[in-house]
Each structure stands twice: as structure tokens, then as C-alpha cells.
Amino acid sequence: MDKFIIEGGGRLAGEVEISGSKNAALPIMAAMILTSGKNKIRGVPQVRDVTTMLYLLKDLGGCTEEFNDGCIVFDSAGINNYEAPYDLVSKMRASCLVLGPLLARLGKAKVSLPGGCAIGARPLDLHIRGLEEMGAKIRLEQGYIYGEVKRLLGIRYYFDTVSVTGTANLMMAATLADGETVLENVAKEPEVVFLANVLNQCGAKIKGHGTDLLTIRGVQSLKPINCDILPDRIETGTYMIASAITSGDVKIINCIPQQVEALTMKLRQAGLVVEENETSLRVVGDGQLNGVNIKTQPHPGFATDLQAQFMALMALAQGQSIIIETVFENRFMHAAELKRMGADVTIQGQTAVVNGVKELSGAPLMATDLRASASLVLAALAAKGKSVISRIYHIDRGYSCIEKKLCSLGAKIYREK
Ligand code: EPU
């Protein structure tokens, strides 16, 4: 298993380019199931979750004609298999995104239940109930979700909890359903809005994306997808914090500043200078960092996917900061590792109390999930001395060329195979 060796203490400076968004690319790839023909997606990030999704789609009967330089050309005409097996779904929860599209296209689906996850139980009850209300007969057997339906029917459905992939799954299913579907209390994440826009370009009739209520009028068929994936806002935020934590001066290009507004405001409150342009950001730190409080929430609130990285930053701030995680019940796994570096963090349920310390020291560290790994990398960049981070396969799931990008900013980070 690969490891990162990081020699901390340096200041990051320079320019870094943001890759396409993993969480935008995955639902778009699943949406190819709804089409029959040659789909073309550009700006796809080089991350392991994308490769896993591509394996899954090939397994379903599609054919990858091209996959290089961030461009995927995928012929979905041959999709005829409706099983998403455990070995692929267990690698990546987002595989559940094929459930709605398979039922809509083939009227059948057999998708493995993803099982537990480091950051929380993450059930699929809201996806399943929605599809049942659309007329699918669903049973859970031997670790699999079996679904069957003649044709999905439009419904009115309320999400008890805002769910990103839940919204995407039901929205995709509804594009080919009979009649109109109204989804209430839906996710407003940019990746959901992007999916709706791309589906509309393919002939879907979706309205209300970006608000709490989506209306989808079912159509008979969709044209193949042809799109450019939007930049990754979580990668953007991670590099913003990387600059902040090393008192750096980093310009982040090819990003959408409005999508990280909550983080920008918190960084400014903490004492950093954040300059925003149309498609770039510059974060400058001068060593002065104050503790600020955050509470994670669905978009446009502070993203849960940036909470771990922000905690690493707050570990070095002056004073106290309170971090409340409201989206996932177990997303503080990084705290124990940060404490091993000298951070002062106390966890009480969904709340972390961070008392800033003057410095962190390098240590052997273990990555537990994707964003927790990013938090450890950031802490190690700022720490005194050497850190060795193991299990970095987690980070390879979602960050494209991270060591290359950090090295270009002056970081001392090496991958040991
Ligand atoms: N939930 C339910 N029942 C459901 C679905 C969700 O109770 O049927 C709960 C979850 O357990 C959680 C909350 O609802 O407490 C929100 O979960 P959501 O469904 O929104 O999460 P997700 O769709 O599984 C996506 C991202 C995550 C990101 C969350 C929240 C993708 C592929 N994944 O997950 O990204 O943290 O939304 O913004 O888009 C990551 O990239 O590291 C990552 C974990």
C-alpha cells in the first residue's frame, strides 16, 4: 500500500489548477445508463472512484471507447445487465447511483447494499422508498437490493433528510417515468444542479434545480450526454486551506468561487486574505490565525466534505473553535490522528472543541476516509518534522494528482510505493 512522506514546515506558494469534480462526474456517468448511444464527458478527474464507476458501467454492458486526458467516450447502447455486484459497490458507495437509472431503462436492478462506512451508517432508505412509491417492487435479499417495475410512475415525494445522491437517483429515474414527479426538500448542491442541466440538454424536462423543489416531467428517451464536468469545489476548498495552514500565498485557478463562499467567509473571519475573481481565488496568510466556529450543513452551508480539513487549520489557530458536524454522525475520525500530532481536540457527540496550539509535530498517521486523509496531509504540511501517512488509497479515490500539485506549490511530499 502506498504511503505519503511529508516534510512539514514550508510555506506553499504559486498557482494550482483545479480538476473536474468527482461528485459531479459520478452521477453524470450513472446518467449515461439513461441514454443509448455515444456519450462524451470531458474534464473528468483522474481519481479511483471514476475508474470504479467506469468498470461498473462496462459490467452493465456499455463500452468505453476512449478514456484518457480527462475525456470519456462511452457507448451506452449495449447496456443490458442490471446487476451492480458487491465487489464494485463496496469500493464506492456512489455506485448506488445506478439504481434509479437501471430501473428507468431496464425495469430491473440488482444492486449490492453498500454496507457501513467510516463516516456513518449512510442508509439508502430514502432512495428505496422513493423508487417504491414510483411503482418499483423492491426487496432486500442476501445483501442486495432487487428492484422490478414495468414503467416508473411520476410521484410527489418528500425527502425527510436532504440527500445528495438520493435527489440525483430519483431525479434520474423520474426523467424517463410516466407523468410528472415533484420532489420536495431536495439537495441544492452544485453537482445536483449540474446534473439537472446536463439531463435537460439531453431532452429531460426538469425545473426548479437549485431550489428545494424539483419538478420533472417524464420523457420517452434521452439523447446521449455531451458535457464538460464542472470544477471540484471540495478540491478548491482543500487547496484554499492548504494555503491558509502554511501561511502561504496560493492562487487557485479553474474554480467557481461562489461555490465555496461559506469557506471563504470563515477563512476571512480567521484572519486570511481571500481574493475572488471570476474563475480563480487567491488565499494569503501571514501567520496570524484566529479560531472560528463552523457548523456543517447541506449546500449552501459549510460543506461536510471540508470539515476535516478545516479542523486541521483550527488546530493551529489562536483561541478556541467549535466545530459542529450535522450531516454525518461519525465524521471526526481525523481528530484522533490530529491529536497524535499535538492538536488539542475534544469530541462530544457531534461537536468538536478545538483549542489552538502553537505547533503540530510530524508523526506516523493513518488515513481513514477520503476527506480525513486530506486533513492529515494539510496538518502534516504545516507540522514540524516528518509525517508518514499510510492507507492513502483513500485520498486517491478523490484527489487528482495531489502530490504533484502540492509539489508544484513547494511542498515536500513524496509517495512511497
Ligand atoms: N441519508 C439517509 N437516508 C438516505 C440517504 C441519506 O438517512 O437514504 C442521510 C445520510 O446518512 C446522511 C445525510 O442523509 O446523514 C446526507 O447524506 P447524503 O445522502 O446527502 O450523502 P451522499 O449522497 O451519500 C454525497 C457525497 C458525499 C458528501 C455528501 C454530503 C457523492 C458521491 N457523495 O454523499 O461526498 O459528503 O453528499 O454533502 O456525491 C466525499 O466526496 O468525500 C463524500 C463523502
Side-chain angles (χ1 to χ4, degrees):
M1 271 189 276
D2 293 6
K3 290 177 180 168
F4 274 151
I5 319 287
I6 299 177
E7 200 65 57
R11 181 171 190 255
L12 298 191
E15 203 172 271
V16 65
E17 185 171 350
I18 296 306
S19 300
S21 157
K22 162 182 90 75
N23 289 348
L26 296 173
I28 293 290
M29 291 172 76
M32 297 196 296
I33 297 173
L34 299 166
T35 74
S36 186
K38 244 178 226 185
N39 298 271
K40 192 166 187 178
I41 314 177
R42 293 166 298 274
V44 180
Q46 288 172 42
V47 296
R48 204 161 49 95
D49 278 7
V50 162
T51 320
T52 305
M53 184 60 104
L54 210 48
Y55 272 128
L56 176 52
L57 293 169
K58 277 202 285 192
D59 229 51
L60 298 176
C63 170
T64 310
E65 298 194 345
E66 193 184 319
F67 179 34
N68 59 43
D69 238 4
C71 178
I72 295 179
V73 179
F74 185 85
D75 192 341
S76 55
I79 289 183
N80 56 3
N81 174 20
Y82 54 85
E83 178 174 345
Y86 177 72
D87 60 335
L88 289 172
V89 179
S90 61
K91 278 195 186 121
M92 181 186 66
R93 293 187 56 85
S95 312
C96 69
L97 283 165
V98 302
L99 183 59
L102 280 176
L103 282 171
R105 172 162 174 171
L106 302 175
K108 263 187 164 189
K110 178 183 173 191
V111 177
S112 171
L113 277 162
C117 171
I119 62 176
R122 302 180 77 184
L124 294 178
D125 56 318
L126 300 170
H127 305 230
I128 293 172
R129 201 175 325 134
L131 291 166
E132 278 179 334
E133 287 194 20
M134 293 177 90
K137 294 261 171 302
I138 297 201
R139 61 195 161 89
L140 305 181
E141 229 173 77
Q142 295 175 323
Y144 276 83
I145 305 167
Y146 289 81
E148 212 165 335
V149 68
K150 247 203 176 119
R151 183 156 186 212
L152 293 167
L153 303 173
I155 49 159
R156 197 171 180 104
Y157 185 74
Y158 174 82
F159 281 91
D160 293 329
T161 307
V162 176
S163 167
V164 175
T165 50
T167 303
N169 229 339
L170 295 197
M171 178 165 73
M172 288 190 282
T175 57
L176 294 183
D178 218 359
E180 187 178 87
T181 296
V182 178
L183 302 176
E184 289 186 58
N185 197 27
V186 295
K188 294 178 282 200
E189 268 62 7
E191 297 77 16
V192 171
V193 176
F194 178 71
L195 175 66
N197 282 327
V198 171
L199 288 170
N200 278 347
Q201 280 162 18
C202 299
K205 301 246 175 297
I206 304 171
K207 281 190 199 154
H209 34 305
T211 73
D212 297 313
L213 193 134
L214 277 174
T215 308
I216 305 132
R217 177 152 286 287
V219 294
Q220 285 299 326
S221 63
L222 293 177
K223 286 185 294 206
I225 295 169
N226 185 348
C227 73
D228 291 276
I229 297 296
L230 80 170
D232 195 315
R233 67 192 164 98
I234 305 302
E235 190 192 22
T236 303
T238 303
Y239 284 102
M240 290 169 78
I241 300 173
S243 185
I245 203 169
T246 61
S247 303
D249 182 354
V250 175
K251 185 171 179 195
I252 297 151
I253 60 169
N254 183 37
C255 64
I256 305 178
Q258 303 93 285
Q259 293 182 355
V260 286
E261 205 56 55
L263 173 64
T264 298
M265 288 194 210
K266 288 295 170 181
L267 289 178
R268 284 184 180 145
Q269 260 180 40
L272 292 133
V273 174
V274 184
E275 287 173 12
E276 291 173 273
N277 292 301
E278 214 173 303
T279 58
S280 69
L281 281 159
R282 182 174 165 219
V283 179
V284 187
D286 63 0
Q288 179 62 36
L289 198 60
N290 309 311
V292 293
N293 303 334
I294 59 159
K295 183 174 177 183
T296 66
Q297 272 164 341
H299 194 76
F302 193 98
T304 172
D305 289 346
L306 287 171
Q307 176 261 109
Q309 301 89 315
F310 200 80
M311 185 186 289
L313 179 68
M314 288 299 100
L316 285 166
Q318 224 175 66
Q320 191 173 76
S321 111
I322 310 281
I323 297 180
I324 304 177
E325 171 59 58
T326 74
V327 180
F328 291 110
E329 67 274 21
N330 190 27
R331 213 174 194 182
F332 284 141
M333 305 275 280
H334 43 285
E337 296 299 286
L338 292 174
K339 277 162 86 164
R340 297 184 52 254
M341 302 177 83
D344 179 353
V345 185
T346 311
I347 306 289
Q348 280 175 345
Q350 301 296 99
T351 303
V353 179
V354 186
N355 288 303
V357 293
K358 280 228 157 60
E359 64 179 34
L360 296 175
S361 60
L365 302 164
M366 183 101 77
T368 49
D369 68 74
L370 172 55
R371 308 304 172 186
S373 326
S375 146
L376 300 184
V377 168
L378 299 184
L381 288 173
K384 218 171 160 184
K386 182 168 119 177
S387 296
V388 179
I389 308 182
S390 51
R391 300 203 180 168
I392 56 163
Y393 54 84
H394 287 294
I395 213 160
D396 293 333
R397 284 190 41 219
Y399 286 91
S400 186
C401 313
I402 186 165
E403 70 266 40
K404 211 167 127 196
K405 290 186 184 185
L406 285 171
C407 276
S408 77
L409 296 173
K412 293 188 179 129
I413 172 169
Y414 315 95
R415 182 182 289 256
E416 195 179 273
K417 293 269 178 195

